[in-house]
């Protein structure tokens, strides 16, 4: 809606796509029908990508990838090209030091030393822990068999080199990323939990804010007139990682640009409001958890608004109907101000 409305006034519209790894793509500002269609195609391609996370559990991803290979390319799973020795998980299981751990070292020095000693004993060749007996568990044996066959196909598909198979067998994070990439290319949805065992949001990706700030600064440097930067991103789970973005917004405002932030808001959660509404007390555990989740998101939104509000930046939740009208109103004021200056 904003792109079409901006095109009617013959204004230049650009687009910058950023993920947690890099600035994915930058489309220089332009006008015309072909440019509008190109922007919509880029947005449609990005919207079609499913979310990915490094902490996705492999026990959910690998069976889906193996089943997809059985349907799409069963010849790649034949014994002649993708053999699996039955004794491989018993003779050479995944090393314990390559398995990510959910626990975190404590802050106290003595407890941290005890934590390091326990971890060394657990990962040493002489240590005894439950991971030593994983090779004899039938479920682990089956998962290792599926992972080996899937890893062999992915190593060839993405040209990972001679050590690609061993890398995917020992690195859980790399294996999760490539399996999710393979499933995303075939449009296979993976039901992943939003939060991990520690209650942290899996899709936070704090590194994306630094890339987003760099993209904003690059656009400010190249901007020749007073521009309106509309930032579409998720700030609710950012925490202290949004500090680089706040500094970049200050630079944009200092150069007499305007900034509008559209913060993504999950569906089914009540929108934050200025006035505290009186809510009934929860009657069940599920309603209590839903109420706690809603209040946590609303408090996070108020914190984001408290950071960018004093700068004069309007922060709007995505499902709000007035988001598009607020952007168009800012554009109209910016056009009038530029005409008065001219």
């Amino acid at each position: 809606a904003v792109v079409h409305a901006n095109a009617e006034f013959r204004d230049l519209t650009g687009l910058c796509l950023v993920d947690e790894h890099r600035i994915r793509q930058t489309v220089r500002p332009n006008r015309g029908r072909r440019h509008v269609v190109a922007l919509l195609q880029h947005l449609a391609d990005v919207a079609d990508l499913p979310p990915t996370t490094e902490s996705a559990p492999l026990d959910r991803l690998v069976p889906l990838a193996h089943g997809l290979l059985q349907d799409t390319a069963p010849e790649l799973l034949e014994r002649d090209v993708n053999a699996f020795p039955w004794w491989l998980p018993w003779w050479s299981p995944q090393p314990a030091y390559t398995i990510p751990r959910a626990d975190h070292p404590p802050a106290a020095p003595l407890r941290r030393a005890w934590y390091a000693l326990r971890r060394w004993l657990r990962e040493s060749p002489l240590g005894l822990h439950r991971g030593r007996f994983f090779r004899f568990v039938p479920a682990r044996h089956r998962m290792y068999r599926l992972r080996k066959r899937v890893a062999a196909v992915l190593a060839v598909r993405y040209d990972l080199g001679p050590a690609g198979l061993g890398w995917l067998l020992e690195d859980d994070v790399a294996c999760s990323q490539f399996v999710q990439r393979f499933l995303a290319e075939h449009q296979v949805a993976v039901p992943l939990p939003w939060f991990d065992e520690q209650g942290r949001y899996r899709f936070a990706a704090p590194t994306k804010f630094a890339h987003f700030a760099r993209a904003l600064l690059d656009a400010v440097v190249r901007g020749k007139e007073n521009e309106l930067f509309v930032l579409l991103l998720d700030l609710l789970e950012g925490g202290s990682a949004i500090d680089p973005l706040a500094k970049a917004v200050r630079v944009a405002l200092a150069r007499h640009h305007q900034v509008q932030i559209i913060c993504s808001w999950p569906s089914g959660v009540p929108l934050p409001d200025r006035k505290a509404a009186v809510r009934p007390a929860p009657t069940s555990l599920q309603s209590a958890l839903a109420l706690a989740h809603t209040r946590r998101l609303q408090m996070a939104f108020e914190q984001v608004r408290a950071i960018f509000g004093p700068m004069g930046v309007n922060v709007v939740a995505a499902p709000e109907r007035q988001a598009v009208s607020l952007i168009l109103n800012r554009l109209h004021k910016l056009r009038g101000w530029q005409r008065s200056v001219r």
Side-chain angles (χ1 to χ4, degrees):
V2 174
V3 171
H4 281 290
N6 204 26
E8 292 180 0
F9 289 92
R10 301 289 297 172
D11 282 343
L12 301 177
T13 306
L15 178 65
C16 184
L17 305 176
V18 182
D19 58 11
E20 63 273 16
H21 302 292
R22 65 187 187 280
I23 299 177
R24 186 184 183 97
Q25 191 174 11
T26 301
V27 182
R28 301 187 64 178
N30 203 341
R31 62 170 63 94
R33 182 177 300 178
R34 296 179 61 181
H35 181 67
V36 172
V37 173
L39 292 181
L40 295 180
Q41 288 178 351
H42 289 304
L43 292 176
D45 293 339
V46 175
D48 202 21
L49 297 176
T52 58
T53 174
E54 296 181 354
S55 59
L58 287 175
D59 55 353
R60 295 191 179 188
L61 298 176
V62 174
L64 287 177
H66 190 270
L68 179 61
L69 287 174
Q70 287 180 332
D71 295 336
T72 58
E75 66 277 1
L76 298 179
L77 299 178
E78 295 181 356
R79 295 182 179 180
D80 297 339
V81 296
N82 198 350
F84 176 78
W86 61 269
W87 44 264
L88 183 60
W90 299 345
W91 178 260
S92 179
Q94 182 180 1
Y97 59 85
T98 64
I99 302 176
R101 302 191 179 279
D103 53 349
H104 300 277
L110 294 178
R111 293 184 178 180
R112 182 175 298 180
W114 173 243
Y115 170 85
L117 179 61
R118 285 191 307 165
R119 184 170 183 178
W120 179 81
L121 292 175
R122 185 168 56 239
E123 297 176 357
S124 64
L126 301 179
L128 293 178
H129 55 89
R130 61 189 184 93
R132 296 292 181 190
F133 305 100
F134 280 167
R135 67 186 72 182
F136 302 107
V137 179
R140 294 276 179 172
H141 189 279
R142 175 180 177 273
M143 178 57 60
Y144 197 95
R145 176 174 59 86
L146 299 181
R147 180 173 178 177
K148 189 268 175 185
R149 304 182 73 180
V150 171
V153 176
L154 297 182
V156 177
R157 179 183 179 89
Y158 298 111
D159 194 15
L160 302 181
L165 175 58
W167 179 36
L168 296 181
L169 283 178
E170 294 192 0
D171 194 335
D172 290 350
V173 175
C175 184
S176 176
Q177 291 177 349
F178 281 101
V179 172
Q180 291 180 81
R181 177 181 173 183
F182 176 71
L183 294 175
E185 291 176 355
H186 291 79
Q187 303 298 323
V188 177
V190 183
L192 297 176
W194 288 6
F195 301 91
D196 58 4
E197 295 79 4
Q198 303 293 329
R200 297 167 299 182
Y201 188 58
R202 293 182 182 270
F203 304 94
T207 56
K208 66 183 177 184
F209 300 107
H211 299 296
F212 211 102
R214 184 163 58 89
L216 179 59
L217 292 177
D218 293 342
V220 170
V221 171
R222 294 185 176 91
K224 298 181 180 179
E225 297 180 354
N226 296 324
E227 308 289 348
L228 172 62
F229 296 101
V230 181
L231 311 182
L232 303 169
L233 69 165
D234 183 13
L235 293 173
L236 300 180
E237 304 291 343
S240 60
I242 65 177
D243 293 339
L245 180 61
K247 296 179 181 179
V249 170
R250 292 191 186 97
V251 173
L253 296 176
R255 298 290 296 270
H256 305 287
H257 299 290
Q258 296 189 23
V259 180
Q260 181 97 19
I261 296 180
I262 309 298
C263 188
S264 60
W265 190 260
S267 60
V269 180
L271 294 172
D273 49 359
R274 297 282 184 175
K275 300 179 181 179
V278 179
R279 298 181 178 86
T283 57
S284 62
L285 178 60
Q286 184 176 2
S287 60
L289 292 176
L291 181 59
H293 178 64
T294 301
R295 290 181 177 178
R296 188 182 65 85
L297 291 178
Q298 293 179 353
M299 291 177 60
F301 183 81
E302 292 299 331
Q303 292 177 359
V304 173
R305 184 179 290 175
I307 294 175
F308 294 97
M311 304 179 191
V313 177
N314 193 8
V315 182
V316 184
E320 293 186 2
R321 295 181 178 180
Q322 65 269 25
V324 176
S325 61
L326 288 174
I327 297 175
L328 298 180
N329 188 22
R330 285 289 186 94
L331 287 172
H332 181 70
K333 291 182 179 179
L334 189 59
R335 294 190 192 98
W337 185 80
Q338 290 178 351
R339 291 172 182 173
S340 63
V341 172
R342 293 175 183 173

Tab-separated table of all heavy atoms in Angstrom, residues 22-48:
chain	number	residue	atom	x	y	z
A	22	ARG	N	23.856	-10.797	7.149
A	22	ARG	CA	24.407	-9.751	6.286
A	22	ARG	C	23.258	-8.893	5.763
A	22	ARG	O	22.077	-9.174	6.036
A	22	ARG	CB	25.154	-10.366	5.099
A	22	ARG	CG	24.246	-11.136	4.158
A	22	ARG	CD	24.987	-11.887	3.093
A	22	ARG	NE	24.102	-12.486	2.118
A	22	ARG	CZ	23.434	-13.616	2.286
A	22	ARG	NH1	23.544	-14.266	3.431
A	22	ARG	NH2	22.650	-14.099	1.330
A	23	ILE	N	23.636	-7.856	5.012
A	23	ILE	CA	22.654	-7.086	4.250
A	23	ILE	C	22.332	-7.898	3.001
A	23	ILE	O	23.135	-8.009	2.085
A	23	ILE	CB	23.203	-5.699	3.896
A	23	ILE	CG1	23.520	-4.914	5.172
A	23	ILE	CG2	22.195	-4.930	3.051
A	23	ILE	CD1	24.134	-3.565	4.910
A	24	ARG	N	21.167	-8.454	2.973
A	24	ARG	CA	20.837	-9.443	1.953
A	24	ARG	C	20.754	-8.827	0.562
A	24	ARG	O	21.307	-9.362	-0.399
A	24	ARG	CB	19.512	-10.111	2.322
A	24	ARG	CG	19.120	-11.270	1.429
A	24	ARG	CD	17.759	-11.801	1.817
A	24	ARG	NE	17.397	-12.958	1.035
A	24	ARG	CZ	17.549	-14.210	1.427
A	24	ARG	NH1	18.089	-14.451	2.589
A	24	ARG	NH2	17.179	-15.216	0.666
A	25	GLN	N	20.080	-7.705	0.424
A	25	GLN	CA	19.893	-7.088	-0.889
A	25	GLN	C	19.489	-5.638	-0.710
A	25	GLN	O	18.792	-5.281	0.243
A	25	GLN	CB	18.824	-7.835	-1.691
A	25	GLN	CG	18.741	-7.426	-3.154
A	25	GLN	CD	17.776	-8.295	-3.916
A	25	GLN	OE1	17.026	-9.061	-3.323
A	25	GLN	NE2	17.778	-8.190	-5.236
A	26	THR	N	19.944	-4.803	-1.611
A	26	THR	CA	19.610	-3.379	-1.597
A	26	THR	C	19.117	-2.984	-2.981
A	26	THR	O	19.816	-3.199	-3.974
A	26	THR	CB	20.821	-2.523	-1.205
A	26	THR	OG1	21.268	-2.935	0.095
A	26	THR	CG2	20.456	-1.054	-1.161
A	27	VAL	N	17.930	-2.410	-3.034
A	27	VAL	CA	17.337	-1.914	-4.274
A	27	VAL	C	17.375	-0.394	-4.218
A	27	VAL	O	16.786	0.217	-3.319
A	27	VAL	CB	15.894	-2.419	-4.454
A	27	VAL	CG1	15.311	-1.922	-5.772
A	27	VAL	CG2	15.847	-3.939	-4.392
A	28	ARG	N	18.068	0.208	-5.140
A	28	ARG	CA	18.223	1.659	-5.142
A	28	ARG	C	16.886	2.344	-5.410
A	28	ARG	O	16.035	1.829	-6.156
A	28	ARG	CB	19.244	2.075	-6.194
A	28	ARG	CG	20.613	1.469	-5.978
A	28	ARG	CD	21.628	2.030	-6.934
A	28	ARG	NE	21.819	3.464	-6.701
A	28	ARG	CZ	22.685	4.210	-7.378
A	28	ARG	NH1	23.427	3.662	-8.330
A	28	ARG	NH2	22.796	5.496	-7.114
A	29	PRO	N	16.663	3.521	-4.823
A	29	PRO	CA	15.391	4.238	-5.037
A	29	PRO	C	15.178	4.561	-6.503
A	29	PRO	O	16.088	4.982	-7.213
A	29	PRO	CB	15.554	5.511	-4.191
A	29	PRO	CG	16.581	5.156	-3.167
A	29	PRO	CD	17.519	4.199	-3.835
A	30	ASN	N	13.935	4.344	-6.928
A	30	ASN	CA	13.572	4.602	-8.314
A	30	ASN	C	12.065	4.793	-8.372
A	30	ASN	O	11.365	4.688	-7.354
A	30	ASN	CB	14.023	3.454	-9.220
A	30	ASN	CG	14.188	3.885	-10.658
A	30	ASN	OD1	13.660	4.912	-11.084
A	30	ASN	ND2	14.943	3.101	-11.417
A	31	ARG	N	11.558	5.077	-9.541
A	31	ARG	CA	10.121	5.266	-9.730
A	31	ARG	C	9.692	4.517	-10.994
A	31	ARG	O	10.523	4.061	-11.769
A	31	ARG	CB	9.773	6.750	-9.843
A	31	ARG	CG	10.415	7.438	-11.011
A	31	ARG	CD	9.836	8.836	-11.196
A	31	ARG	NE	10.097	9.680	-10.063
A	31	ARG	CZ	11.134	10.514	-9.945
A	31	ARG	NH1	12.037	10.566	-10.926
A	31	ARG	NH2	11.292	11.270	-8.898
A	32	GLY	N	8.397	4.390	-11.164
A	32	GLY	CA	7.866	3.715	-12.341
A	32	GLY	C	7.182	2.415	-11.994
A	32	GLY	O	7.350	1.846	-10.910
A	33	ARG	N	6.374	1.940	-12.944
A	33	ARG	CA	5.604	0.717	-12.719
A	33	ARG	C	6.509	-0.508	-12.617
A	33	ARG	O	6.281	-1.389	-11.787
A	33	ARG	CB	4.600	0.534	-13.857
A	33	ARG	CG	3.704	-0.691	-13.698
A	33	ARG	CD	2.702	-0.760	-14.827
A	33	ARG	NE	1.851	0.434	-14.841
A	33	ARG	CZ	0.907	0.640	-15.758
A	33	ARG	NH1	0.711	-0.260	-16.730
A	33	ARG	NH2	0.179	1.728	-15.717
A	34	ARG	N	7.521	-0.585	-13.438
A	34	ARG	CA	8.424	-1.733	-13.394
A	34	ARG	C	9.161	-1.790	-12.066
A	34	ARG	O	9.393	-2.880	-11.523
A	34	ARG	CB	9.414	-1.653	-14.550
A	34	ARG	CG	8.774	-1.748	-15.929
A	34	ARG	CD	9.806	-1.651	-17.031
A	34	ARG	NE	10.768	-2.737	-16.949
A	34	ARG	CZ	11.789	-2.885	-17.776
A	34	ARG	NH1	11.997	-1.992	-18.750
A	34	ARG	NH2	12.610	-3.894	-17.643
A	35	HIS	N	9.508	-0.645	-11.545
A	35	HIS	CA	10.193	-0.627	-10.249
A	35	HIS	C	9.260	-1.083	-9.134
A	35	HIS	O	9.679	-1.819	-8.234
A	35	HIS	CB	10.708	0.786	-9.968
A	35	HIS	CG	11.449	0.912	-8.670
A	35	HIS	ND1	12.673	0.305	-8.441
A	35	HIS	CD2	11.126	1.558	-7.517
A	35	HIS	CE1	13.084	0.583	-7.221
A	35	HIS	NE2	12.163	1.336	-6.629
A	36	VAL	N	8.014	-0.683	-9.186
A	36	VAL	CA	7.048	-1.118	-8.163
A	36	VAL	C	6.854	-2.629	-8.221
A	36	VAL	O	6.817	-3.314	-7.186
A	36	VAL	CB	5.712	-0.379	-8.351
A	36	VAL	CG1	4.643	-0.959	-7.426
A	36	VAL	CG2	5.894	1.103	-8.073
A	37	VAL	N	6.748	-3.173	-9.428
A	37	VAL	CA	6.586	-4.629	-9.563
A	37	VAL	C	7.822	-5.357	-9.047
A	37	VAL	O	7.720	-6.406	-8.390
A	37	VAL	CB	6.302	-4.982	-11.036
A	37	VAL	CG1	6.304	-6.484	-11.243
A	37	VAL	CG2	4.972	-4.389	-11.469
A	38	ALA	N	9.013	-4.797	-9.309
A	38	ALA	CA	10.236	-5.427	-8.809
A	38	ALA	C	10.283	-5.409	-7.289
A	38	ALA	O	10.686	-6.405	-6.660
A	38	ALA	CB	11.455	-4.715	-9.390
A	39	LEU	N	9.851	-4.314	-6.658
A	39	LEU	CA	9.823	-4.252	-5.192
A	39	LEU	C	8.849	-5.286	-4.625
A	39	LEU	O	9.154	-5.961	-3.627
A	39	LEU	CB	9.428	-2.847	-4.733
A	39	LEU	CG	10.420	-1.713	-5.010
A	39	LEU	CD1	9.879	-0.397	-4.466
A	39	LEU	CD2	11.774	-2.019	-4.393
A	40	LEU	N	7.692	-5.408	-5.245
A	40	LEU	CA	6.715	-6.387	-4.759
A	40	LEU	C	7.234	-7.811	-4.934
A	40	LEU	O	6.963	-8.685	-4.089
A	40	LEU	CB	5.394	-6.201	-5.507
A	40	LEU	CG	4.677	-4.862	-5.274
A	40	LEU	CD1	3.389	-4.813	-6.067
A	40	LEU	CD2	4.407	-4.648	-3.792
A	41	GLN	N	7.971	-8.070	-5.998
A	41	GLN	CA	8.544	-9.404	-6.182
A	41	GLN	C	9.583	-9.711	-5.116
A	41	GLN	O	9.625	-10.822	-4.574
A	41	GLN	CB	9.164	-9.506	-7.571
A	41	GLN	CG	8.146	-9.562	-8.703
A	41	GLN	CD	8.799	-9.612	-10.061
A	41	GLN	OE1	10.015	-9.448	-10.194
A	41	GLN	NE2	8.006	-9.826	-11.108
A	42	HIS	N	10.421	-8.735	-4.776
A	42	HIS	CA	11.410	-8.949	-3.719
A	42	HIS	C	10.726	-9.202	-2.377
A	42	HIS	O	11.136	-10.093	-1.620
A	42	HIS	CB	12.330	-7.741	-3.616
A	42	HIS	CG	13.279	-7.598	-4.767
A	42	HIS	ND1	14.150	-8.602	-5.149
A	42	HIS	CD2	13.492	-6.567	-5.635
A	42	HIS	CE1	14.858	-8.201	-6.193
A	42	HIS	NE2	14.482	-6.978	-6.507
A	43	LEU	N	9.689	-8.441	-2.077
A	43	LEU	CA	8.971	-8.644	-0.818
A	43	LEU	C	8.275	-9.999	-0.788
A	43	LEU	O	8.240	-10.662	0.259
A	43	LEU	CB	7.957	-7.520	-0.614
A	43	LEU	CG	8.525	-6.124	-0.351
A	43	LEU	CD1	7.408	-5.100	-0.279
A	43	LEU	CD2	9.337	-6.110	0.932
A	44	ALA	N	7.724	-10.418	-1.929
A	44	ALA	CA	7.062	-11.725	-1.972
A	44	ALA	C	8.063	-12.861	-1.796
A	44	ALA	O	7.775	-13.854	-1.114
A	44	ALA	CB	6.319	-11.876	-3.293
A	45	ASP	N	9.251	-12.726	-2.383
A	45	ASP	CA	10.267	-13.772	-2.228
A	45	ASP	C	10.723	-13.892	-0.787
A	45	ASP	O	10.940	-15.004	-0.275
A	45	ASP	CB	11.465	-13.467	-3.131
A	45	ASP	CG	11.121	-13.564	-4.598
A	45	ASP	OD1	10.117	-14.240	-4.922
A	45	ASP	OD2	11.830	-12.959	-5.420
A	46	VAL	N	10.868	-12.775	-0.103
A	46	VAL	CA	11.311	-12.819	1.292
A	46	VAL	C	10.199	-13.334	2.199
A	46	VAL	O	10.433	-14.096	3.134
A	46	VAL	CB	11.788	-11.421	1.733
A	46	VAL	CG1	12.135	-11.414	3.212
A	46	VAL	CG2	13.005	-11.013	0.923
A	47	ALA	N	8.965	-12.902	1.929
A	47	ALA	CA	7.847	-13.351	2.754
A	47	ALA	C	7.597	-14.843	2.616
A	47	ALA	O	6.992	-15.461	3.499
A	47	ALA	CB	6.583	-12.579	2.386
A	48	ASP	N	8.067	-15.439	1.520
A	48	ASP	CA	7.872	-16.869	1.296
A	48	ASP	C	8.876	-17.724	2.052
A	48	ASP	O	8.736	-18.944	2.125
A	48	ASP	CB	7.986	-17.163	-0.203
A	48	ASP	CG	7.283	-18.452	-0.573
A	48	ASP	OD1	6.413	-18.887	0.198
A	48	ASP	OD2	7.621	-19.041	-1.610
